[in-house]
Amino acid sequence: MAAAIPLSLLVLLLLGPGGWCLAEHPRDSLREELVITPLPSGDVAATFQFRTRWDSELQREGGLSVLLKADRLFHTSYHSQAVHIRPVCRNARCTSISWELRQTLSVVFDAFITGQGKKDWSLFRMFSRTLTEPCPLASESRVYVDITNYNQDNETLEVHPSPTTTYQDVILGTRKTYAIYDLLDSAMINNSRNLNIQLKWKRPPENEAPPVPFLHAQRYVSGYGLQKGELSTLLYNTHPYRAFPVLLLDTVPWYLRLYVHTLTITSKGKENKPSYIHYQPAQDRLQPHLLEMLIQLPANSVTKVSIQFERALLKWTEYTPDPNHGFYVSPSVLSALVPSMVAAKPVDWEESPLFNSLFPVSDGSNYFVRLYTEPLLVNLPTPDFSMPYNVICLTCTVVAVCYGSFYNLLTRTFHIEEPRTGGLAKRLANLIRRARGVPLL
Amino acid sequence: MTSDSCGPSSRLYLAAPDQLGLLSSGCGATCLPPGRCTAGPTLLGAAPSGLPNPLTSCRLHQHRPPSSRPLLWARAPSALDMRAGASVSGTGSAGERGSPGLTGAACGHRGGDWRRERVRRWERVRSRAALPRHGPPVGPGSPARARPPRAAPQRAAVVRTGLGEAGTRGPWTRAAGGPMRGPHRGPGPLQLLAPLRLLAPFRSCPLEALRISGPGLALGSGVPMQDSGFSVLSYVAGIAWFLALVFPPLTQRTYMSENAMGSTMVEEQFAGGDRARAFARDFAAHRKKSGALPVAWLERTMRSVGLEVYTQSFSRKLPFPDETHERYVLGEWGVPGPRKHLEGGMVSGTNVYGILRAPRAASTESLVLTVPCGSDSTNSQAVGLLLALAAHFRGQIYWAKDIIFLVTEHDLLGTEAWLEAYHDVNVTGMQSSPLQGRAGAIQAAVALELSSDVVTSLDVAVEGLNGQLPNLDLLNLFQTFCQKGGLLCTLQGKLQPQDWTSLDGPLQGLQTLLLMVLRQASGRPHGSHGLFLRYRVEALTLRGINSFRQYKYDLVAVGKALEGMFRKLNHLLERLHQSFFLYLLPGLSRFVSIGLYMPAVGFLLLVLGLKALELWMQLHEAGMGLEEPGGAPGPSVPLPPSQGVGLASLVAPLLISQAMGLALYVLPVLGQHVATQHFPVAEAEAVVLTLLAIYAAGLALPHNTHRVVSTQAPDRGWMALKLVALIYLALQLGCIALTNFSLGFLLATSMVPAAALAKPHGPRTLYAALLVLTSPAAMLLGSLFLWRELQEAPLSLAEGWQLFLAALAQGVLEHHTYGALLFPLLSLGLYPCWLLFWNVLFWK
């Protein structure tokens, strides 16, 4: 819990000592679970979730939190932490409430680094820890392992120790099977004083590209040079026969001046007309472009959404301290109701495992997905920032030179001398004087 | 004598205003002895005849009232001139103060002495310049040239302020021009003029006197611009400057500018030498089996080391097939190039690339390690090392940027296809499948070419497409790890001189520098890194060389150097931008920055500028001569408009030579099928031979154009043409030198002398030979010989010719496949320009 405690402390400080000192310490308020899911790419995702009433003790020892060891958790491809706090009713009539704290930690272990090139994994290999005892405070402490491909006849993978119970659910439109290890079940740990769940692939699924989800997307900047470019987003619908609409939301910084007339959407070589477009142009230094479109993705297709832009010149104080790094363009956001393979039934939130709350289901036939594409890095025309120095030097020199001569001229008084004054005598005299080298008259 | 003897009609009419600056030194002095003021024609003939050509443009027109010629400006002898003249000769009369017209006063004031002195000075100038004269015919009654005594004092030649008749002198003049102490003796300091000019409105002087003062300042009094010695000097200075670039004051030590790569050290842990060799063996075996890039094996292996693997197939129709004529397709200037998979000029292949995703990063930046695989080239060790490095890198957690491991088929064609697909552009008409996986903006790339398990040295190539260079910091990075790992590193295949203080080091550096200049000038990508540069991806190619040296390094040493480079590139916060993008390298640890090498080409282009200026002056003089031909007093002949003749005669040669250039650019590739049908040649041969034929046909151009051109004014015609050609050439060379210094410098070195000398008089055959020898094609041939000479692999003539043909074919091919600009540049820009000079030479 090393990583999560500072966060929860912070939240405590923010909320103040309002609700949590009133209540007693119901023992059943802490639920903890760990969901381990092998990913298509071969990596392993582990999601911890601790749900507790606010008024329970934060400090826990034992249980799943022994696995949370920072040096292993940061040795991963991805991790995300979240804290949710919400009021929950204490009784049916909701006469009093208590605060529910939910902490989640999702980690994706790189199978290559942890598994030495194999897809097999075990708790010890991932966390360098094993589970030894349940949390004494927990009312529920479970480990779920995704063993969807596993059954006794199929020889693809093997879980050790073999699960006593399994749980089936529809997650993201597909039916999943989970093996459940309940730490509160005394037989589970007492056998060997520790629990090291292992999964072995008997026939490793090599040589085949990992299965892809129904909806995924990719975004990139195309073109070269510092004047123009194109933002392209590729939307993949890999569903074999269902088309579905996608809401695409793009916010593009103002310094990429979008040419909306160049917006093209093509799928399967044909133009795809979006059924809804909302465009709010950018204002320089005030607001970014906002482009929102509802696009129908045909079944089994790639849709390319592209729009050209021109790179603006910024004022030289507007550049970041590392202007040659480039400027980030935020990801597109895709929201879609993706058709399910399997109809899901409504879930009873209290009874089902905690991770179900991560996958909200709107109705049985499809599920909601929000995807964020990768952010982009765009290089703007960047001046050489040593130039101001040169300009200052040059300007100073020019000003000094000009000033000197102008000042010289302006502060003198000039007299106009008529050239033809004096008669012949004077001219003669001057001639003689000139011959003698004496100043003229 | 007083002004009355000459009167207002004796004003001196001089050159057009824009010329005055140049002419003032001569014109200011052309004053007539008062007694001759009315003698007009005879004297007018006399004065120019004694003058050098460029100076004669200050003609004296006595019989025109000033109002009839607003264009012509009067030039008064300056007060100081007069003073000088007075003090020297002592013959000045007292009339100047009261003279109504200043020139009259001058005329009256100065005696023949003054004039003689000027004439004598021009004599000197002329004898030095030895320029041909194209002045108008001298009047029949012109006397022999006056040869003043040599003992005449020199001061008048120096003193030239250009402003002010004697009457304007006064106390205020002295006040304004501080340095002028003794009004009688003081040489006319130039600093006097600025205040004087500003003061002009205060004075009630004749307008002309004021106007001439301005241009008089333009070039100052110094070396006479007309001196062709100056051109020679400038040319020699350019060459000398270039040669001096290798000496330590001009060449500097390289240093790491990028602080993200400079101070941090990394510890290389790569130890996968055996693995690399095993991969290489497997790869070679699979390639031998399949005969092409073993795509499936590569995919499998890359996936097994944990990369995200994608493939990309591409195909490209070459402008002309070159399989059967491999001698025309060369890899590295003479080494036979890769045999391409050709069916009717169609090349198709597949690239394989794997992406190592950086942990906890958003795939916004990436680095590329690429190995180009031709079907013939033995690059399997490089593939093995790439895979072993990928396996090693995959196990590390410090990556902040994705790393793309790219194996391309058909060498650069594959690289070009991949780069175009990655950036989703189509520059060269490549057909390729879209890329499935991307990894953000590519920050840097390293191309690797190894042909053996052990190397004796690593050679680094930086020259990219169209002479683009990567940021110098990338090279510094490579050099850092060469030194750290104790690797022997070479540049242009040359070892690095250690001692730069003696003469040996710089001389060795000069060889390297010349090799780099030749390579850069060729504009070809020397390695697949060259194509990355277009997309602003800093890249270089490392080549493992296995020679007969004793000490050899294995793949681990190379791998460690690469690992170090990638780890430091991984530290980058910004794109490489701190160091130089434009530089020349006399050695790995020495460089010459742009500020130091540009003067070399500047000096060379100055020659063109000087020649153009000189021609302009001559042209104007010729124009004047036309208007007032010979000795006939008064405008009895109807005058043509002064500009019309020159411009009209220029249109035809310009158009025809440009059309030749266009034909040279378009026809060879377009007409190859016609050629192959009618002649027993293959396409590649047809292209090259057509190229040569059109090129040679251009030499017949003068005979064609002469029928079109009016022969009204032969001299003016060729001068105007040469003037235009000079300016055209100077502009082109200037632009080229800015983008590709090496090409600009080489072209300038070869083309400038012949261009400056070309004229229809004198030893024409000599000029013609010189011009042919310095034509772009001849320069290419010469560069090839020089190249091989510097590489210590001299060519025989026959080999050189074969190589030349190959280089021609290669140039055309690379223009079409990669967008190299050398071919269009030469055919559309420099060849027509060169034809103009050829035209000038044979002007009738």
Side-chain angles (χ1 to χ4, degrees):
Chain A
M1 216 52 227
I5 282 173
L7 264 178
S8 46
L9 284 178
L10 179 71
V11 172
L12 268 180
L13 289 174
L14 286 175
L15 285 177
W20 46 282
C21 51
L22 302 174
E24 71 276 23
H25 294 230
R27 190 185 152 75
D28 60 349
S29 60
L30 173 65
R31 298 171 70 188
E32 59 177 16
E33 72 175 35
L34 164 64
V35 185
I36 302 176
T37 318
L39 295 179
S41 62
D43 297 342
V44 182
T47 306
F48 293 87
Q49 195 162 160
F50 302 95
R51 186 151 80 183
T52 174
R53 295 287 160 83
W54 193 245
D55 31 17
S56 74
E57 282 186 20
L58 288 166
Q59 194 64 46
R60 287 177 289 265
E61 59 281 319
L64 295 179
S65 52
V66 295
L67 298 179
L68 301 176
K69 190 149 165 38
D71 61 338
R72 300 302 296 171
L73 295 181
F74 287 110
H75 209 107
T76 52
S77 298
Y78 171 84
H79 70 264
S80 85
Q81 256 177 318
V83 175
H84 303 261
I85 296 171
R86 61 167 190 164
V88 289
C89 296
R90 280 200 201 178
N91 47 30
R93 285 174 294 135
C94 224
T95 51
S96 64
I97 57 161
S98 54
W99 294 92
E100 184 192 271
L101 170 70
R102 199 170 74 203
Q103 297 161 303
T104 59
L105 173 68
S106 297
V107 185
V108 175
F109 285 93
D110 190 336
F112 244 85
I113 295 178
T114 54
Q116 283 92 40
K118 295 181 191 165
K119 290 182 171 182
D120 302 349
W121 57 262
S122 70
L123 282 188
F124 185 76
R125 220 183 254 174
M126 289 194 291
F127 300 101
S128 67
R129 288 280 191 284
T130 53
L131 293 169
T132 51
E133 53 176 357
C135 174
L137 295 175
S139 62
E140 187 184 314
S141 180
R142 285 178 177 168
V143 178
Y144 293 84
V145 179
D146 185 350
I147 49 164
T148 306
N149 291 332
Y150 173 75
N151 57 46
Q152 300 298 332
D153 309 329
N154 197 339
E155 297 284 302
T156 52
L157 55 81
E158 183 184 11
V159 194
H160 178 85
S162 39
T164 49
T165 51
T166 57
Y167 168 78
Q168 288 206 341
D169 202 351
V170 176
I171 302 292
L172 293 182
T174 51
R175 189 174 299 283
K176 298 275 189 181
T177 313
Y178 293 92
I180 302 177
Y181 298 89
D182 193 347
L183 299 189
L184 293 179
D185 181 4
S186 56
M188 190 60 66
I189 289 183
N190 283 350
N191 282 345
S192 57
R193 293 300 300 162
N194 67 27
L195 175 65
N196 181 22
I197 303 168
Q198 302 176 39
L199 184 140
K200 281 183 184 154
W201 291 88
K202 285 188 170 172
R203 255 203 341 248
E206 269 184 22
N207 296 346
E208 61 188 40
V212 288
F214 286 152
L215 173 67
H216 61 112
Q218 195 188 53
R219 196 172 189 224
Y220 56 90
V221 186
S222 44
Y224 61 94
L226 286 177
Q227 196 201 350
K228 286 179 177 178
E230 193 174 41
L231 287 175
S232 306
T233 312
L234 296 179
L235 310 174
Y236 292 86
N237 174 9
T238 57
H239 201 286
Y241 51 86
R242 286 274 300 269
F244 55 87
V246 163
L247 193 64
L248 176 72
L249 174 70
D250 258 341
T251 48
V252 181
W254 63 267
Y255 39 77
L256 304 186
R257 307 195 186 282
L258 293 184
Y259 292 129
V260 185
H261 72 278
T262 61
L263 175 70
T264 51
I265 304 167
T266 48
S267 17
K268 291 184 165 176
K270 282 180 301 203
E271 192 191 340
N272 186 341
K273 210 168 165 56
S275 44
Y276 161 77
I277 290 189
H278 171 65
Y279 175 66
Q280 190 179 350
Q283 289 172 26
D284 282 4
R285 297 171 182 86
L286 290 180
Q287 70 174 31
H289 302 268
L290 181 77
L291 183 60
E292 199 174 14
M293 289 173 288
L294 190 65
I295 305 169
Q296 184 81 11
L297 302 185
N300 203 4
S301 69
V302 185
T303 305
K304 183 177 178 185
V305 182
S306 64
I307 185 165
Q308 289 177 12
F309 64 86
E310 194 179 81
R311 296 160 210 242
L313 280 170
L314 299 188
K315 292 177 182 170
W316 73 283
T317 48
E318 287 170 347
Y319 285 94
T320 51
D322 53 349
N324 285 287
H325 177 65
F327 288 74
Y328 284 104
V329 177
S330 55
S332 309
V333 184
L334 293 168
S335 315
L337 286 173
V338 181
S340 308
M341 295 294 272
V342 186
K345 47 185 192 303
V347 186
D348 178 8
W349 293 108
E350 284 303 315
E351 294 306 313
S352 63
L354 297 176
F355 64 85
N356 265 345
S357 59
L358 296 178
F359 308 108
V361 177
S362 58
D363 62 48
S365 63
N366 44 28
Y367 58 96
F368 178 76
V369 166
R370 177 169 289 146
L371 284 184
Y372 295 84
T373 63
E374 53 266 68
L376 300 177
L377 199 54
V378 178
N379 274 89
L380 295 185
T382 308
D384 175 6
F385 281 99
S386 59
M387 188 199 70
Y389 171 74
N390 297 336
V391 170
I392 289 167
C393 290
L394 189 69
T395 318
C396 288
T397 313
V398 169
V399 165
V401 170
C402 290
Y403 175 78
S405 48
F406 269 99
Y407 184 74
N408 192 1
L409 280 176
L410 293 174
T411 52
R412 286 187 191 282
T413 53
F414 299 111
H415 305 281
I416 298 173
E417 191 186 28
E418 289 300 320
R420 275 197 237 174
T421 52
L424 185 68
K426 190 175 176 186
R427 287 161 70 183
L428 276 174
N430 268 341
L431 201 69
I432 294 163
R433 292 174 80 96
R434 180 197 298 274
R436 289 172 53 214
V438 180
L440 303 184
L441 288 174
Chain B
M1 317 231 168
T2 64
S3 60
D4 300 327
S5 60
C6 283
S9 68
S10 70
R11 282 166 187 266
L12 305 177
Y13 288 99
L14 301 177
D18 45 355
Q19 281 180 267
L20 267 177
L22 308 166
L23 299 179
S24 57
S25 66
C27 298
T30 44
C31 182
L32 301 177
R36 294 290 191 84
C37 276
T38 51
T42 47
L43 183 76
L44 281 179
S49 72
L51 298 180
N53 205 354
L55 286 179
T56 49
S57 52
C58 36
R59 301 293 306 273
L60 310 178
H61 295 261
Q62 268 198 314
H63 297 280
R64 277 166 183 274
S67 58
S68 69
R69 290 298 313 266
L71 257 183
L72 299 177
W73 291 27
R75 168 65 164 91
S78 70
L80 292 172
D81 277 348
M82 287 193 290
R83 268 201 306 285
S87 59
V88 165
S89 62
T91 57
S93 70
E96 75 250 45
R97 277 244 157 159
S99 65
L102 57 124
T103 55
C107 285
H109 171 52
R110 302 282 165 69
D113 231 10
W114 189 87
R115 183 188 141 248
R116 275 202 303 276
E117 190 210 346
R118 282 290 159 146
V119 170
R120 195 190 54 76
R121 185 172 144 249
W122 294 339
E123 269 312 303
R124 273 210 317 279
V125 168
R126 182 169 179 271
S127 60
R128 220 174 9 191
L131 283 171
R133 290 172 38 231
H134 304 290
V138 169
S142 61
R145 280 183 283 185
R147 298 200 70 92
R150 286 199 65 83
Q154 303 288 313
R155 198 180 301 160
V158 181
V159 174
R160 186 174 56 80
T161 56
L163 174 66
E165 63 279 26
T168 59
R169 274 189 297 116
W172 55 269
T173 313
R174 257 167 275 149
M180 188 172 136
R181 287 276 175 261
H184 293 272
R185 298 268 151 76
L190 276 178
Q191 60 263 39
L192 249 180
L193 293 179
L196 283 187
R197 209 154 21 126
L198 282 165
L199 287 175
F202 293 110
R203 304 170 352 190
S204 54
C205 313
L207 190 60
E208 285 88 347
L210 295 175
R211 285 163 80 194
I212 55 168
S213 67
L217 276 179
L219 281 172
S221 64
V223 189
M225 301 301 295
Q226 303 78 16
D227 201 340
S228 75
F230 201 71
S231 302
V232 174
L233 195 69
S234 177
Y235 184 77
V236 172
I239 304 285
W241 187 287
F242 178 76
L243 294 179
L245 287 180
V246 288
F247 290 93
L250 289 179
T251 169
Q252 302 160 30
R253 283 197 157 279
T254 53
Y255 53 90
M256 186 75 85
S257 294
E258 176 63 59
N259 59 3
M261 298 196 307
S263 56
T264 54
M265 286 313 293
V266 294
E267 184 194 352
E268 302 90 2
Q269 292 163 331
F270 176 70
D274 293 333
R275 205 168 179 195
R277 277 187 291 276
F279 278 136
R281 269 196 306 277
D282 278 8
F283 176 76
H286 277 90
R287 191 165 65 168
K288 209 170 192 178
K289 206 162 65 183
S290 68
L293 194 72
V295 176
W297 180 84
L298 269 175
E299 266 188 283
R300 205 165 54 236
T301 317
M302 279 189 176
R303 200 163 280 141
S304 77
V305 300
L307 302 182
E308 213 181 290
V309 189
Y310 302 95
T311 58
Q312 180 220 4
S313 55
F314 63 92
S315 65
R316 173 77 169 88
K317 183 149 178 29
L318 294 183
F320 51 91
D322 54 1
E323 185 192 25
T324 50
H325 300 274
E326 265 199 320
R327 58 198 173 109
Y328 288 158
V329 180
L330 299 182
E332 191 59 33
W333 289 89
V335 186
R339 184 190 298 270
K340 300 195 166 55
H341 264 242
L342 299 174
E343 283 145 19
M346 195 67 145
V347 182
S348 54
T350 310
N351 298 325
V352 184
Y353 65 103
I355 303 178
L356 192 166
R357 297 283 181 196
R360 293 189 299 278
S363 285
T364 49
E365 298 167 278
S366 56
L367 305 171
V368 172
L369 175 62
T370 175
V371 172
C373 282
S375 37
D376 273 356
S377 69
T378 50
N379 217 2
S380 47
Q381 275 79 10
V383 176
L385 186 57
L386 174 132
L387 291 171
L389 274 175
H392 173 67
F393 287 179
R394 184 64 176 82
Q396 313 306 319
I397 56 158
Y398 42 65
W399 299 114
K401 299 173 171 51
D402 290 5
I403 303 177
I404 302 175
F405 296 91
L406 169 67
V407 180
T408 62
E409 201 171 0
H410 299 305
D411 285 329
L412 303 195
L413 271 181
T415 313
E416 177 69 32
W418 187 82
L419 278 170
E420 286 186 14
Y422 192 91
H423 293 94
D424 201 9
V425 289
N426 198 337
V427 188
T428 58
M430 185 86 65
Q431 286 119 31
S432 66
S433 60
L435 291 195
Q436 299 289 317
R438 285 188 170 79
I442 304 174
Q443 306 288 307
V446 178
L448 185 63
E449 294 178 16
L450 295 175
S451 51
S452 57
D453 285 345
V454 288
V455 296
T456 51
S457 60
L458 271 184
D459 190 51
V460 59
V462 287
E463 302 86 359
L465 187 68
N466 296 325
Q468 275 184 291
L469 297 172
N471 195 285
L472 189 58
D473 267 345
L474 195 61
L475 193 78
N476 294 340
L477 183 67
F478 169 70
Q479 205 222 342
T480 307
F481 281 97
C482 272
Q483 284 177 346
K484 191 180 175 194
L487 279 167
L488 189 63
C489 294
T490 58
L491 184 69
Q492 319 287 352
K494 300 274 179 199
L495 285 174
Q496 301 312 301
Q498 299 301 319
D499 179 22
W500 285 86
T501 49
S502 71
L503 199 61
D504 286 348
L507 282 185
Q508 212 178 334
L510 184 62
Q511 275 193 342
T512 317
L513 185 72
L514 276 176
L515 280 171
M516 172 170 182
V517 164
L518 285 174
R519 265 190 174 190
Q520 199 190 3
S522 76
R524 348 174 21 202
H526 289 268
S528 60
H529 76 280
L531 300 172
F532 282 86
L533 296 174
R534 176 190 285 157
Y535 303 92
R536 214 199 147 188
V537 176
E538 310 309 323
L540 45 78
T541 292
L542 304 185
R543 285 198 182 89
I545 308 284
N546 194 9
S547 65
F548 300 108
R549 278 175 191 280
Q550 285 290 319
Y551 196 78
K552 300 191 188 278
Y553 307 92
D554 64 351
L555 292 183
V556 175
V558 183
K560 278 190 172 174
L562 280 170
E563 184 196 358
M565 287 178 72
F566 271 87
R567 285 193 62 179
K568 281 221 177 182
L569 288 171
N570 183 47
H571 291 162
L572 278 183
L573 296 175
E574 306 180 53
R575 276 174 192 271
L576 286 173
H577 68 284
Q578 295 274 5
S579 195
F580 295 86
F581 283 97
L582 302 162
Y583 51 85
L584 291 178
L585 295 169
L588 258 183
S589 57
R590 296 272 173 168
F591 77 103
V592 187
S593 82
I594 179 170
L596 292 172
Y597 65 63
M598 275 318 260
V601 80
F603 277 125
L604 296 186
L605 295 186
L606 185 63
V607 176
L608 297 181
L610 287 177
K611 281 287 164 192
L613 215 54
E614 182 190 323
L615 270 178
W616 172 251
M617 287 158 58
Q618 287 181 358
L619 257 183
H620 185 80
E621 176 203 358
M624 303 279 294
L626 272 179
E627 283 170 40
E628 191 126 358
S636 55
V637 185
L639 298 176
S642 65
Q643 299 293 323
V645 178
L647 290 185
S649 65
L650 293 189
V651 174
L654 276 175
L655 279 183
I656 293 177
S657 60
Q658 281 297 334
M660 283 305 285
L662 196 65
L664 188 67
Y665 176 65
V666 173
L667 283 188
V669 174
L670 209 64
Q672 51 175 325
H673 300 299
V674 183
T676 45
Q677 279 166 13
H678 292 86
F679 300 98
V681 289
E683 278 96 340
E685 269 178 332
V687 169
V688 172
L689 295 180
T690 320
L691 212 59
L692 286 176
I694 297 178
Y695 196 90
L699 301 188
L701 181 66
H703 309 290
N704 301 330
T705 48
H706 282 161
R707 291 180 200 141
V708 190
V709 175
S710 68
T711 51
Q712 203 170 7
D715 257 4
R716 289 204 70 194
W718 76 259
M719 277 199 244
L721 183 61
K722 189 177 169 187
L723 177 63
V724 169
L726 280 173
I727 294 173
Y728 188 32
L729 183 65
L731 278 179
Q732 282 192 46
L733 290 181
C735 294
I736 294 172
L738 279 180
T739 52
N740 184 349
F741 166 80
S742 301
L743 183 60
F745 180 77
L746 279 188
L747 287 170
T749 315
S750 61
M751 290 184 79
V752 161
L757 286 179
K759 61 171 175 255
H761 312 294
R764 264 211 224 179
T765 34
L766 187 68
Y767 287 154
L770 187 62
L771 208 53
V772 168
L773 279 181
T774 57
S775 83
M779 197 210 73
L780 177 61
L781 189 62
S783 302
L784 287 174
F785 279 103
L786 178 62
W787 164 262
R788 295 298 290 263
E789 192 64 43
L790 285 170
Q791 278 202 325
E792 289 151 21
L795 283 171
S796 69
L797 269 181
E799 280 174 340
W801 180 250
Q802 283 300 315
L803 205 58
F804 174 65
L805 296 182
L808 287 183
Q810 197 71 1
V812 179
L813 201 61
E814 275 172 3
H815 169 58
H816 285 96
T817 46
Y818 311 129
L821 288 178
L822 185 66
F823 172 55
L825 208 64
L826 290 186
S827 61
L828 292 176
L830 285 162
Y831 174 65
C833 189
W834 180 84
L835 277 184
L836 290 181
F837 288 108
W838 184 257
N839 216 350
V840 166
L841 187 60
F842 290 101
W843 194 271
K844 281 175 188 162

